[in-house]
């Protein structure tokens, strides 16, 4: 199946056939801390047309509250209820699966995960704090870990180190029934506007390799986030459009859950990658950036 270039007719037809737009953030709304051109106009127009807007990001470094502040700083009015992060998804996964409040959660990740877990009422530790800890690999060194840890959550972590890898591995291997949860498996991401950086998938792969076990993934392209989204809003997936810059997460997420899909080339995926014969993930439509929606609808 070949994807179609977004034309004026296709843009009108798309907007007419959907009630909600789900936007990825990194590479679609912003790059690092820089807003992508035309984003405010696009969101304003879609809201004027009565569309529901939801922001679905795999970046677990911030909580929904912190993301809401970031939107505000960039001049965009977005409420916490409109934001779905993989850090929030991880906390909700534990809540929906009746994770025992007696048990603790070890976090290989940043404040976003810790904040969402605390808001959901779970006891957690690890995070940036453990990025400062070192270990001495000496003959009789024994690494102790908390036996009451019932889940390990791994997300994007700029403070990732050997200490955390061992702590997470011991909990998963030695604590009976300990859950191994990954916020997402993105190999790279636009952590700054200048270039791509290793994504959460690299940290997940390290822990996964150590424990020889696959994690439960709660972010895109897993359908868990969508199930939760549908519980929060009264929407049908066939009346939604997922807008993203990654084929393997955003577009696959949309396809897995029955949404229409629009790929924008303002982030990770390039046109040659999209059109490469080896690519098996094809969005319904593609265009350069979200701003094209405004320009085409005005034609």
């Amino acid at each position: 199946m070949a994807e179609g270039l977004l034309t004026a007719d296709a843009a009108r037809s798309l907007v007419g056939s959907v009630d909600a737009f789900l936007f990825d953030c990194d590479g679609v709304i912003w790059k690092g801390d820089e807003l992508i051109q035309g984003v405010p106009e696009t969101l304003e127009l879609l809201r004027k047309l009565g569309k529901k807007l939801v922001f679905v990001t795999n970046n677990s470094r911030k909580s929904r509250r912190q993301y809401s502040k970031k939107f505000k700083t960039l001049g965009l009015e977005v409420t916490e209820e409109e934001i779905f992060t993989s850090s929030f998804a991880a906390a909700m996964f534990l809540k929906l699966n009746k994770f025992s409040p007696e048990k603790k959660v070890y976090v290989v990740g940043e404040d976003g995960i810790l904040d969402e877990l605390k808001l959901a009422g779970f006891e957690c530790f690890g995070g940036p704090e453990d990025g400062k800890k070192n270990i001495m690999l000496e003959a009789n060194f024994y690494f102790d870990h908390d036996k009451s840890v019932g889940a390990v959550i791994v997300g994007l972590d700029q403070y990732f180190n050997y200490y955390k890898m061992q702590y997470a591995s011991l909990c998963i291997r030695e604590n009976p029934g300990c859950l191994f949860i990954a916020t997402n498996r993105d190999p790279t991401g636009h952590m700054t506007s200048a270039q791509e950086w290793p994504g959460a998938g690299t940290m997940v792969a390290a822990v996964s390799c150590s424990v020889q076990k696959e994690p439960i993934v709660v972010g895109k392209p897993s359908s868990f986030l969508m199930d939760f989204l549908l519980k929060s809003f009264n929407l049908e997936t066939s009346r939604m459009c997922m807008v993203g810059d990654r084929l393997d997460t955003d577009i696959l997420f949309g396809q897995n859950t029955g949404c229409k899909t629009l790929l924008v080339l303002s982030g990770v995926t390039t046109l040659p990658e999209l059109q490469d014969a080896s690519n098996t993930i094809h969005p319904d439509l593609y265009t350069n950036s979200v701003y094209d929606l405004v320009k085409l609808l005005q034609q």
Side-chain angles (χ1 to χ4, degrees):
M1 177 205 141
E3 50 286 311
L5 176 66
L6 189 71
T7 60
D9 282 347
R12 277 191 285 275
S13 163
L14 177 66
V15 170
S17 67
V18 301
D19 303 321
F21 280 87
L22 313 183
F23 290 97
D24 175 45
C25 296
D26 298 304
V28 177
I29 303 294
W30 56 61
K31 272 189 180 182
D33 289 321
E34 281 180 31
L35 205 55
I36 288 170
Q37 194 206 347
V39 164
E41 295 87 333
T42 309
L43 302 186
E44 192 186 340
L45 175 69
L46 292 174
R47 284 198 198 276
K48 257 194 199 135
L49 293 169
K51 305 300 171 191
K52 175 99 196 125
L53 305 186
V54 182
F55 300 86
V56 186
T57 175
N58 265 357
N59 193 331
S60 62
R61 291 180 62 212
K62 291 182 167 71
S63 62
R64 298 196 303 163
R65 192 174 290 168
Q66 289 169 312
Y67 265 114
S68 178
K69 281 184 188 148
K70 177 168 181 169
F71 276 106
K72 211 176 223 91
T73 307
L74 293 169
L76 303 172
E77 282 301 321
V78 173
T79 67
E80 267 181 58
E81 290 69 39
E82 293 174 313
I83 303 166
F84 284 75
T85 63
S86 61
S87 49
F88 175 66
M92 289 307 104
F93 181 86
L94 292 180
K95 222 177 173 64
L96 290 177
N97 285 284
K98 313 238 179 315
F99 183 73
S100 167
E102 312 291 296
K103 297 221 178 256
K104 295 178 194 162
V105 184
Y106 184 68
V107 175
V108 177
E110 300 189 19
D111 289 334
I113 303 173
L114 294 167
D115 289 354
E116 292 292 0
L117 286 170
K118 285 171 192 160
L119 281 171
F122 297 115
E123 193 182 336
C124 54
F125 66 105
E129 207 42 50
D130 281 5
K132 301 169 191 160
K133 296 178 182 171
N134 296 313
I135 38 186
M136 299 295 287
L137 294 174
E138 291 161 346
N140 298 320
F141 178 65
Y142 179 79
F143 190 104
D144 209 11
H145 75 284
D146 191 327
K147 308 295 185 289
S148 65
V149 169
V152 170
I153 297 178
V154 183
L156 184 65
D157 190 351
Q158 64 179 314
Y159 312 102
F160 190 66
N161 61 8
Y162 205 55
Y163 177 95
K164 290 186 184 186
M165 210 180 341
Q166 172 67 339
Y167 206 107
S169 299
L170 287 172
C171 292
I172 297 164
R173 271 204 304 265
E174 297 184 9
N175 293 3
C178 181
L179 298 169
F180 173 22
I181 299 167
T183 57
N184 64 296
R185 293 191 103 154
D186 296 29
T188 58
H190 277 285
M191 307 314 156
T192 65
S193 54
Q195 60 196 154
E196 279 183 42
W197 295 76
T202 55
M203 289 94 204
V204 173
V207 176
S208 181
C209 178
S210 170
V211 297
Q212 293 292 289
K213 191 177 172 184
E214 289 299 305
I216 300 160
V217 182
V218 293
K220 298 173 292 188
S222 153
S223 61
F224 172 75
L225 243 158
M226 179 58 83
D227 299 340
F228 197 78
L229 224 148
L230 295 176
K231 282 193 182 85
S232 310
F233 303 113
N234 189 17
L235 296 166
E236 280 177 54
T237 55
S238 62
R239 302 278 305 171
M240 294 181 184
C241 177
M242 179 67 215
V243 184
D245 68 319
R246 291 190 92 101
L247 295 167
D248 57 348
T249 54
D250 305 321
I251 302 307
L252 197 55
F253 173 70
Q255 291 175 347
N256 285 347
T257 54
C259 297
K260 293 181 170 70
T261 52
L262 171 64
L263 176 80
V264 288
L265 303 170
S266 51
V268 171
T269 306
T270 62
L271 190 58
E273 283 169 349
L274 173 66
Q275 295 174 337
D276 191 290
S278 66
N279 170 40
T280 57
I281 304 166
H282 300 279
D284 296 321
L285 296 159
Y286 74 92
T287 192
N288 286 320
S289 82
V290 291
Y291 193 30
D292 292 342
L293 268 173
V294 175
K295 294 189 278 196
L296 292 167
L297 288 170
Q298 285 170 348
Q299 278 181 24

